[in-house]
Amino acid sequence: MHIEWSTFFIQIVAFLLLYLLLQKLAFGPLFGMMEKRRQLVKDQIQTAENNRKQAEQLLEEQKLALQQTRKEAQDIIEQAKQISSKQADEITAAARAEATRVKDEAIRDIENEKHKAVAALRSQVGAMSVLIASKIIEKQIDEKSQEQLVEHYLKEVGGNQ
């Protein structure tokens, strides 16, 4: 096989011209578009990474806020328990004080009634003494009859109490 050098050089020149034209018109824009695409993908990956970090940070903040809210709720519940216990103690103390007051009042009323009864009894004893004395004076009785009268009188007084 024989090589024709003139055709060979023409083909090389034509190839180089075609390559330069393709480089300028096709490869340049194609490689530029590919570089833009590569940069876009890189930017999207960076944005996704930043978003993921922000999401993790927000998640941690929400967890902390939730823990704080739970602690506050627990504190509120504990405070409510303490307040209710204190109120229960106050109510119990007030009830005891009222019961003591009512009891003391009842004791005073009983004492007053007792004094009234004793006073009434004394007036009855006085009246009976006068009655006995008048009966004794009316009848001149002996000592045995007088003892019976006193016994009878003491039984009456004892029965009235």
Side-chain angles (χ1 to χ4, degrees):
M1 170 159 210
H2 175 42
I3 298 179
E4 274 193 47
W5 292 102
S6 63
T7 311
F8 177 72
F9 285 118
I10 293 175
Q11 286 178 350
I12 287 189
V13 170
F15 177 77
L16 287 176
L17 281 175
L18 182 64
Y19 179 75
L20 289 175
L21 279 174
L22 284 176
Q23 179 72 21
K24 183 163 181 111
L25 298 176
F27 293 144
L30 181 66
F31 287 139
M33 213 164 53
M34 290 176 84
E35 180 61 27
K36 285 181 185 175
R37 177 71 178 157
R38 186 187 68 77
Q39 189 62 36
L40 178 68
V41 169
K42 183 179 174 183
D43 290 344
Q44 286 177 343
I45 289 172
Q46 186 64 33
T47 302
E49 183 65 25
N50 289 340
N51 288 342
R52 185 188 61 79
K53 286 179 182 177
Q54 287 177 349
E56 286 177 356
Q57 184 179 10
L58 286 174
L59 181 64
E60 284 300 315
E61 289 174 3
Q62 288 176 349
K63 283 181 181 179
L64 289 174
L66 182 62
Q67 286 176 349
Q68 185 177 0
T69 304
R70 284 183 180 159
K71 185 180 182 304
E72 288 174 0
Q74 189 65 30
D75 291 345
I76 289 170
I77 290 170
E78 189 63 33
Q79 188 178 20
K81 285 180 183 178
Q82 290 174 354
I83 288 171
S84 67
S85 176
K86 183 179 177 183
Q87 286 177 344
D89 291 344
E90 288 173 358
I91 290 170
T92 303
R96 284 185 182 144
E98 180 65 17
T100 302
R101 184 190 66 76
V102 168
K103 181 180 132 186
D104 291 344
E105 198 173 290
I107 289 172
R108 279 195 304 274
D109 288 345
I110 290 170
E111 286 293 321
N112 287 338
E113 290 298 319
K114 180 180 169 185
H115 291 306
K116 286 180 186 177
V118 168
L121 187 61
R122 283 187 183 155
S123 68
Q124 286 178 357
V125 166
M128 288 200 156
S129 295
V130 170
L131 183 65
I132 290 174
S134 67
K135 285 187 180 183
I136 290 176
I137 292 174
E138 286 177 8
K139 314 175 179 175
Q140 290 283 340
I141 54 174
D142 60 4
E143 281 187 33
K144 189 173 185 184
S145 297
Q146 188 176 0
E147 270 186 41
Q148 287 176 349
L149 258 166
V150 169
E151 291 271 336
H152 177 62
Y153 168 71
L154 288 175
K155 283 182 186 176
E156 280 185 32
V157 172
N160 286 337
Q161 289 181 351

